[in-house]
């Protein structure tokens, strides 16, 4: 391995997973800019900025955090998305566009990408509740899925019809209109 490749590998220990997630986010219409994120950001190596994500691979600690932050962008109506930045508290209240819906969206994306649940619910996240959330979602108790369904992004099992689209965690749309 040459020096340039060695430094990239050292800076991005989760490189393949990060690449997979970033490619997906860009494919669904979430802007991802790779640039320096100052130390001390809310999540290491990630910022929500002008309705997209800024990612600093050298500081990114948990690639699954990209999915959760993208979830915040995805569940907010398109008209508000471009105004979003790290201070989500400044957004007006959005029905079915909160933390629990962002988490449910991130789980659906994780399933779509075929990644392990620990990528999203890693030991360093969710204020010490990662293990409980991991178990809850793995058991099929999908907190926030009803909000995603109310926003038109997915269907709940009771809404499904024979031959129709599958229910959550399948998504009808990845971004709220």
């Amino acid at each position: 391995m040459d020096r340039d490749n060695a430094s990239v590998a050292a800076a991005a220990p989760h490189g393949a997973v990060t690449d997979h997630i970033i490619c997906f986010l860009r494919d669904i219409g979430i802007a991802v800019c790779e640039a320096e994120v100052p130390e001390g950001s809310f999540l290491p190596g990630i910022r929500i900025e002008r309705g997209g994500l800024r990612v600093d691979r050298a500081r990114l600690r948990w690639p699954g955090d990209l999915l959760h932050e993208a979830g915040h962008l995805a569940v907010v109506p398109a008209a508000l998305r471009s105004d979003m930045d790290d201070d989500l508290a400044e957004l007006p209240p959005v029905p079915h566009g909160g933390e629990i819906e962002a988490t449910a969206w991130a789980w659906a994306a994780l399933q779509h990408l075929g990644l392990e649940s620990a990528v999203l619910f890693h030991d360093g996240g969710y204020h010490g509740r990662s293990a409980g959330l991991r178990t809850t979602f793995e058991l099929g108790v999908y907190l926030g899925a009803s909000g995603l369904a109310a926003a038109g992004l997915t269907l709940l099992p009771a809404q499904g019809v024979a031959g129709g689209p599958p229910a959550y965690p399948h998504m009808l749309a990845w971004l709220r209109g």
Side-chain angles (χ1 to χ4, degrees):
M1 181 180 300
D2 64 31
R3 180 178 292 223
D4 290 338
N5 288 339
S7 64
V8 169
H14 309 289
V17 172
T18 301
D19 290 344
H20 193 44
I21 291 170
I22 289 174
C23 183
F24 165 73
L25 296 176
R26 287 177 173 155
D27 284 349
I28 65 167
I30 293 178
V32 179
C33 166
E34 295 193 47
E36 186 176 338
V37 173
E39 198 168 321
S41 62
F42 179 70
L43 290 171
I46 306 171
R47 282 186 53 84
I48 292 177
E49 196 170 80
R50 294 184 301 273
L53 294 176
R54 175 181 268 212
V55 180
D56 183 339
R57 286 181 186 255
R59 288 199 170 106
L60 180 65
R61 188 155 177 203
W62 300 289
D65 288 346
L66 289 167
L67 293 175
H68 184 83
E69 293 306 288
H72 282 292
L73 294 167
V75 301
V76 169
L80 298 176
R81 197 171 297 129
S82 65
D83 294 332
M84 293 178 70
D85 63 34
D86 262 358
D87 192 3
L88 298 175
E90 292 186 13
L91 280 177
V94 176
H96 314 298
E99 186 71 28
I100 196 68
E101 289 85 9
T103 303
W105 185 95
W107 177 262
L110 183 87
Q111 296 303 296
H112 176 78
L113 294 170
L115 298 172
E116 299 282 328
S117 60
V119 170
L120 177 62
F121 296 125
H122 54 80
D123 291 336
Y126 295 91
H127 307 286
R129 297 185 191 114
S130 291
L133 285 167
R134 188 168 44 242
T135 300
T136 298
F137 277 83
E138 287 173 350
L139 290 172
V141 178
Y142 300 130
L143 307 172
S146 60
L148 295 179
L153 296 173
T154 192
L155 295 174
L156 297 175
Q159 296 172 311
V161 296
Y168 180 87
H170 173 81
M171 298 291 283
L172 300 173
W174 287 107
L175 299 177
R176 194 165 172 178

